[in-house]
PDB file of all heavy atoms in Angstrom:
ATOM      1  N   ASP G1340      98.216 125.896 125.136  1.00  0.00           N
ATOM      2  CA  ASP G1340      99.750 125.793 125.280  1.00  0.00           C
ATOM      3  C   ASP G1340     100.412 127.118 124.933  1.00  0.00           C
ATOM      4  O   ASP G1340     101.515 127.410 125.497  1.00  0.00           O
ATOM      5  CB  ASP G1340     100.177 124.768 124.160  1.00  0.00           C
ATOM      6  CG  ASP G1340      99.887 123.304 124.626  1.00  0.00           C
ATOM      7  OD1 ASP G1340      99.395 123.123 125.762  1.00  0.00           O
ATOM      8  OD2 ASP G1340      99.866 122.427 123.663  1.00  0.00           O
ATOM      9  N   ALA G1341      99.834 127.925 124.086  1.00  0.00           N
ATOM     10  CA  ALA G1341     100.444 129.306 123.863  1.00  0.00           C
ATOM     11  C   ALA G1341     100.394 130.140 125.034  1.00  0.00           C
ATOM     12  O   ALA G1341     101.236 131.014 125.267  1.00  0.00           O
ATOM     13  CB  ALA G1341      99.770 129.900 122.592  1.00  0.00           C
ATOM     14  N   LEU G1342      99.369 130.061 125.806  1.00  0.00           N
ATOM     15  CA  LEU G1342      99.280 130.874 127.061  1.00  0.00           C
ATOM     16  C   LEU G1342     100.072 130.469 128.136  1.00  0.00           C
ATOM     17  O   LEU G1342     100.535 131.226 128.910  1.00  0.00           O
ATOM     18  CB  LEU G1342      97.716 130.835 127.476  1.00  0.00           C
ATOM     19  CG  LEU G1342      96.669 131.420 126.713  1.00  0.00           C
ATOM     20  CD1 LEU G1342      95.306 131.133 127.186  1.00  0.00           C
ATOM     21  CD2 LEU G1342      96.932 132.983 126.558  1.00  0.00           C
ATOM     22  N   HIS G1343     100.355 129.173 128.219  1.00  0.00           N
ATOM     23  CA  HIS G1343     101.164 128.692 129.412  1.00  0.00           C
ATOM     24  C   HIS G1343     102.028 127.538 128.793  1.00  0.00           C
ATOM     25  O   HIS G1343     101.699 126.344 129.086  1.00  0.00           O
ATOM     26  CB  HIS G1343     100.356 128.230 130.480  1.00  0.00           C
ATOM     27  CG  HIS G1343     101.092 128.140 131.731  1.00  0.00           C
ATOM     28  ND1 HIS G1343     101.684 126.962 132.102  1.00  0.00           N
ATOM     29  CD2 HIS G1343     101.403 129.016 132.738  1.00  0.00           C
ATOM     30  CE1 HIS G1343     102.355 127.036 133.285  1.00  0.00           C
ATOM     31  NE2 HIS G1343     102.196 128.314 133.665  1.00  0.00           N
ATOM     32  N   PRO G1344     103.144 127.810 127.987  1.00  0.00           N
ATOM     33  CA  PRO G1344     103.879 126.832 127.428  1.00  0.00           C
ATOM     34  C   PRO G1344     104.588 125.815 128.373  1.00  0.00           C
ATOM     35  O   PRO G1344     104.924 124.839 127.995  1.00  0.00           O
ATOM     36  CB  PRO G1344     104.972 127.602 126.692  1.00  0.00           C
ATOM     37  CG  PRO G1344     104.932 129.006 127.146  1.00  0.00           C
ATOM     38  CD  PRO G1344     103.583 129.128 127.752  1.00  0.00           C
ATOM     39  N   GLY G1345     104.646 126.251 129.730  1.00  0.00           N
ATOM     40  CA  GLY G1345     105.264 125.246 130.657  1.00  0.00           C
ATOM     41  C   GLY G1345     104.351 123.979 130.824  1.00  0.00           C
ATOM     42  O   GLY G1345     104.976 123.066 131.325  1.00  0.00           O
ATOM     43  N   ASP G1346     103.150 124.097 130.489  1.00  0.00           N
ATOM     44  CA  ASP G1346     102.307 122.856 130.584  1.00  0.00           C
ATOM     45  C   ASP G1346     102.438 121.960 129.354  1.00  0.00           C
ATOM     46  O   ASP G1346     101.941 120.838 129.399  1.00  0.00           O
ATOM     47  CB  ASP G1346     100.832 123.258 130.803  1.00  0.00           C
ATOM     48  CG  ASP G1346     100.549 123.908 132.153  1.00  0.00           C
ATOM     49  OD1 ASP G1346     101.404 123.642 133.018  1.00  0.00           O
ATOM     50  OD2 ASP G1346      99.508 124.513 132.302  1.00  0.00           O
ATOM     51  N   ALA G1347     102.986 122.422 128.320  1.00  0.00           N
ATOM     52  CA  ALA G1347     103.080 121.718 127.100  1.00  0.00           C
ATOM     53  C   ALA G1347     104.133 120.570 127.231  1.00  0.00           C
ATOM     54  O   ALA G1347     105.156 120.770 127.862  1.00  0.00           O
ATOM     55  CB  ALA G1347     103.457 122.560 125.921  1.00  0.00           C
ATOM     56  N   PRO G1348     103.886 119.437 126.607  1.00  0.00           N
ATOM     57  CA  PRO G1348     104.967 118.385 126.777  1.00  0.00           C
ATOM     58  C   PRO G1348     106.248 118.832 126.068  1.00  0.00           C
ATOM     59  O   PRO G1348     106.146 119.478 124.981  1.00  0.00           O
ATOM     60  CB  PRO G1348     104.325 117.189 126.013  1.00  0.00           C
ATOM     61  CG  PRO G1348     102.915 117.516 125.730  1.00  0.00           C
ATOM     62  CD  PRO G1348     102.744 118.959 126.007  1.00  0.00           C
ATOM     63  N   ARG G1349     107.376 118.612 126.727  1.00  0.00           N
ATOM     64  CA  ARG G1349     108.631 119.132 126.131  1.00  0.00           C
ATOM     65  C   ARG G1349     109.280 117.968 125.324  1.00  0.00           C
ATOM     66  O   ARG G1349     109.249 116.870 125.781  1.00  0.00           O
ATOM     67  CB  ARG G1349     109.507 119.642 127.221  1.00  0.00           C
ATOM     68  CG  ARG G1349     108.942 120.777 127.839  1.00  0.00           C
ATOM     69  CD  ARG G1349     109.586 121.193 129.131  1.00  0.00           C
ATOM     70  NE  ARG G1349     111.019 121.324 128.980  1.00  0.00           N
ATOM     71  CZ  ARG G1349     111.782 121.632 130.109  1.00  0.00           C
ATOM     72  NH1 ARG G1349     111.235 121.805 131.206  1.00  0.00           N
ATOM     73  NH2 ARG G1349     113.062 121.771 129.891  1.00  0.00           N
ATOM     74  N   ARG G1350     109.751 118.353 124.044  1.00  0.00           N
ATOM     75  CA  ARG G1350     110.506 117.348 123.331  1.00  0.00           C
ATOM     76  C   ARG G1350     111.878 117.134 124.005  1.00  0.00           C
ATOM     77  O   ARG G1350     112.465 118.102 124.415  1.00  0.00           O
ATOM     78  CB  ARG G1350     110.709 117.861 121.955  1.00  0.00           C
ATOM     79  CG  ARG G1350     109.355 117.900 121.227  1.00  0.00           C
ATOM     80  CD  ARG G1350     109.573 118.189 119.693  1.00  0.00           C
ATOM     81  NE  ARG G1350     110.979 118.967 119.403  1.00  0.00           N
ATOM     82  CZ  ARG G1350     111.374 119.077 118.177  1.00  0.00           C
ATOM     83  NH1 ARG G1350     110.669 118.592 117.230  1.00  0.00           N
ATOM     84  NH2 ARG G1350     112.534 119.682 117.970  1.00  0.00           N
ATOM     85  N   SER G1351     112.340 115.941 123.959  1.00  0.00           N
ATOM     86  CA  SER G1351     113.646 115.700 124.519  1.00  0.00           C
ATOM     87  C   SER G1351     114.591 116.136 123.454  1.00  0.00           C
ATOM     88  O   SER G1351     114.377 116.245 122.281  1.00  0.00           O
ATOM     89  CB  SER G1351     113.890 114.184 124.912  1.00  0.00           C
ATOM     90  OG  SER G1351     113.947 113.427 123.622  1.00  0.00           O
ATOM     91  N   LEU G1352     115.860 116.530 123.950  1.00  0.00           N
ATOM     92  CA  LEU G1352     116.865 116.851 123.030  1.00  0.00           C
ATOM     93  C   LEU G1352     117.305 115.816 122.114  1.00  0.00           C
ATOM     94  O   LEU G1352     117.818 116.067 121.054  1.00  0.00           O
ATOM     95  CB  LEU G1352     118.077 117.475 123.911  1.00  0.00           C
ATOM     96  CG  LEU G1352     117.795 118.759 124.654  1.00  0.00           C
ATOM     97  CD1 LEU G1352     119.079 119.067 125.455  1.00  0.00           C
ATOM     98  CD2 LEU G1352     117.451 119.883 123.767  1.00  0.00           C
ATOM     99  N   GLU G1353     117.165 114.552 122.529  1.00  0.00           N
ATOM    100  CA  GLU G1353     117.459 113.421 121.677  1.00  0.00           C
ATOM    101  C   GLU G1353     116.623 113.382 120.439  1.00  0.00           C
ATOM    102  O   GLU G1353     117.059 113.197 119.369  1.00  0.00           O
ATOM    103  CB  GLU G1353     117.340 112.139 122.412  1.00  0.00           C
ATOM    104  CG  GLU G1353     118.364 111.964 123.535  1.00  0.00           C
ATOM    105  CD  GLU G1353     118.198 110.787 124.384  1.00  0.00           C
ATOM    106  OE1 GLU G1353     117.359 109.881 124.010  1.00  0.00           O
ATOM    107  OE2 GLU G1353     118.783 110.577 125.467  1.00  0.00           O
ATOM    108  N   THR G1354     115.325 113.671 120.601  1.00  0.00           N
ATOM    109  CA  THR G1354     114.333 113.601 119.520  1.00  0.00           C
ATOM    110  C   THR G1354     114.517 114.899 118.613  1.00  0.00           C
ATOM    111  O   THR G1354     114.159 114.928 117.418  1.00  0.00           O
ATOM    112  CB  THR G1354     112.944 113.394 119.887  1.00  0.00           C
ATOM    113  OG1 THR G1354     112.576 114.547 120.827  1.00  0.00           O
ATOM    114  CG2 THR G1354     112.842 112.106 120.682  1.00  0.00           C
ATOM    115  N   ALA G1355     115.053 115.992 119.260  1.00  0.00           N
ATOM    116  CA  ALA G1355     115.160 117.217 118.575  1.00  0.00           C
ATOM    117  C   ALA G1355     116.411 117.210 117.654  1.00  0.00           C
ATOM    118  O   ALA G1355     116.529 118.079 116.746  1.00  0.00           O
ATOM    119  CB  ALA G1355     115.209 118.403 119.570  1.00  0.00           C
ATOM    120  N   GLY G1356     117.323 116.287 117.914  1.00  0.00           N
ATOM    121  CA  GLY G1356     118.508 116.110 117.093  1.00  0.00           C
ATOM    122  C   GLY G1356     119.649 117.150 117.433  1.00  0.00           C
ATOM    123  O   GLY G1356     120.368 117.485 116.544  1.00  0.00           O
ATOM    124  N   ASN G1357     119.762 117.602 118.702  1.00  0.00           N
ATOM    125  CA  ASN G1357     120.710 118.582 119.049  1.00  0.00           C
ATOM    126  C   ASN G1357     121.930 117.927 119.807  1.00  0.00           C
ATOM    127  O   ASN G1357     121.652 117.231 120.846  1.00  0.00           O
ATOM    128  CB  ASN G1357     120.142 119.654 119.893  1.00  0.00           C
ATOM    129  CG  ASN G1357     119.010 120.486 119.240  1.00  0.00           C
ATOM    130  OD1 ASN G1357     119.420 120.905 118.079  1.00  0.00           O
ATOM    131  ND2 ASN G1357     117.887 120.591 119.709  1.00  0.00           N
ATOM    132  N   ASP G1358     123.093 118.029 119.393  1.00  0.00           N
ATOM    133  CA  ASP G1358     124.230 117.559 120.065  1.00  0.00           C
ATOM    134  C   ASP G1358     124.235 116.039 120.430  1.00  0.00           C
ATOM    135  O   ASP G1358     124.711 115.640 121.418  1.00  0.00           O
ATOM    136  CB  ASP G1358     124.536 118.344 121.359  1.00  0.00           C
ATOM    137  CG  ASP G1358     124.779 119.781 121.005  1.00  0.00           C
ATOM    138  OD1 ASP G1358     125.241 120.129 119.878  1.00  0.00           O
ATOM    139  OD2 ASP G1358     124.444 120.647 121.865  1.00  0.00           O
ATOM    140  N   GLY G1359     123.610 115.272 119.642  1.00  0.00           N
ATOM    141  CA  GLY G1359     123.569 113.734 119.849  1.00  0.00           C
ATOM    142  C   GLY G1359     122.972 113.466 121.110  1.00  0.00           C
ATOM    143  O   GLY G1359     123.334 112.439 121.717  1.00  0.00           O
ATOM    144  N   GLY G1360     122.065 114.278 121.704  1.00  0.00           N
ATOM    145  CA  GLY G1360     121.478 113.900 122.944  1.00  0.00           C
ATOM    146  C   GLY G1360     122.156 114.479 124.210  1.00  0.00           C
ATOM    147  O   GLY G1360     121.727 114.280 125.354  1.00  0.00           O
ATOM    148  N   ALA G1361     123.244 115.255 123.997  1.00  0.00           N
ATOM    149  CA  ALA G1361     123.911 115.872 125.129  1.00  0.00           C
ATOM    150  C   ALA G1361     122.980 116.838 125.761  1.00  0.00           C
ATOM    151  O   ALA G1361     122.325 117.680 125.076  1.00  0.00           O
ATOM    152  CB  ALA G1361     125.186 116.517 124.641  1.00  0.00           C
ATOM    153  N   ARG G1362     122.930 116.933 127.044  1.00  0.00           N
ATOM    154  CA  ARG G1362     121.969 117.878 127.679  1.00  0.00           C
ATOM    155  C   ARG G1362     122.643 119.034 128.202  1.00  0.00           C
ATOM    156  O   ARG G1362     123.611 119.036 129.061  1.00  0.00           O
ATOM    157  CB  ARG G1362     121.357 117.167 128.928  1.00  0.00           C
ATOM    158  CG  ARG G1362     120.298 117.847 129.623  1.00  0.00           C
ATOM    159  CD  ARG G1362     119.034 117.131 129.520  1.00  0.00           C
ATOM    160  NE  ARG G1362     117.958 117.924 130.247  1.00  0.00           N
ATOM    161  CZ  ARG G1362     116.953 118.407 129.659  1.00  0.00           C
ATOM    162  NH1 ARG G1362     116.753 118.236 128.389  1.00  0.00           N
ATOM    163  NH2 ARG G1362     116.034 119.086 130.322  1.00  0.00           N
ATOM    164  N   PRO G1363     122.343 120.256 127.647  1.00  0.00           N
ATOM    165  CA  PRO G1363     123.000 121.480 128.113  1.00  0.00           C
ATOM    166  C   PRO G1363     122.455 121.838 129.477  1.00  0.00           C
ATOM    167  O   PRO G1363     121.417 121.386 129.905  1.00  0.00           O
ATOM    168  CB  PRO G1363     122.614 122.591 127.058  1.00  0.00           C
ATOM    169  CG  PRO G1363     121.263 122.022 126.520  1.00  0.00           C
ATOM    170  CD  PRO G1363     121.367 120.555 126.582  1.00  0.00           C
ATOM    171  N   GLU G1364     123.274 122.695 130.102  1.00  0.00           N
ATOM    172  CA  GLU G1364     122.814 123.165 131.485  1.00  0.00           C
ATOM    173  C   GLU G1364     121.553 123.949 131.341  1.00  0.00           C
ATOM    174  O   GLU G1364     121.341 124.721 130.390  1.00  0.00           O
ATOM    175  CB  GLU G1364     123.894 124.142 132.097  1.00  0.00           C
ATOM    176  CG  GLU G1364     123.537 124.633 133.358  1.00  0.00           C
ATOM    177  CD  GLU G1364     124.585 125.642 133.931  1.00  0.00           C
ATOM    178  OE1 GLU G1364     125.698 125.609 133.485  1.00  0.00           O
ATOM    179  OE2 GLU G1364     124.207 126.422 134.764  1.00  0.00           O
ATOM    180  N   THR G1365     120.523 123.634 132.234  1.00  0.00           N
ATOM    181  CA  THR G1365     119.271 124.294 132.250  1.00  0.00           C
ATOM    182  C   THR G1365     119.342 125.382 133.345  1.00  0.00           C
ATOM    183  O   THR G1365     119.690 125.138 134.456  1.00  0.00           O
ATOM    184  CB  THR G1365     118.088 123.343 132.577  1.00  0.00           C
ATOM    185  OG1 THR G1365     118.163 122.273 131.611  1.00  0.00           O
ATOM    186  CG2 THR G1365     116.814 124.015 132.631  1.00  0.00           C
ATOM    187  N   ARG G1366     119.094 126.598 132.906  1.00  0.00           N
ATOM    188  CA  ARG G1366     119.062 127.740 133.888  1.00  0.00           C
ATOM    189  C   ARG G1366     117.801 127.834 134.583  1.00  0.00           C
ATOM    190  O   ARG G1366     116.728 127.657 133.965  1.00  0.00           O
ATOM    191  CB  ARG G1366     119.498 128.966 133.225  1.00  0.00           C
ATOM    192  CG  ARG G1366     120.736 128.934 132.391  1.00  0.00           C
ATOM    193  CD  ARG G1366     121.663 129.922 132.770  1.00  0.00           C
ATOM    194  NE  ARG G1366     122.964 129.805 132.074  1.00  0.00           N
ATOM    195  CZ  ARG G1366     124.090 129.705 132.685  1.00  0.00           C
ATOM    196  NH1 ARG G1366     124.176 129.787 133.913  1.00  0.00           N
ATOM    197  NH2 ARG G1366     125.153 129.600 131.967  1.00  0.00           N
TER     198      ARG G1366
END
Side-chain angles (χ1 to χ4, degrees):
D1340 290 346
L1342 291 174
H1343 198 268
D1346 286 345
R1349 292 164 58 179
R1350 293 185 338 166
S1351 73
L1352 292 176
E1353 292 175 11
T1354 60
N1357 295 310
D1358 298 331
R1362 184 117 179 121
E1364 179 183 340
T1365 301
R1366 305 236 179 232

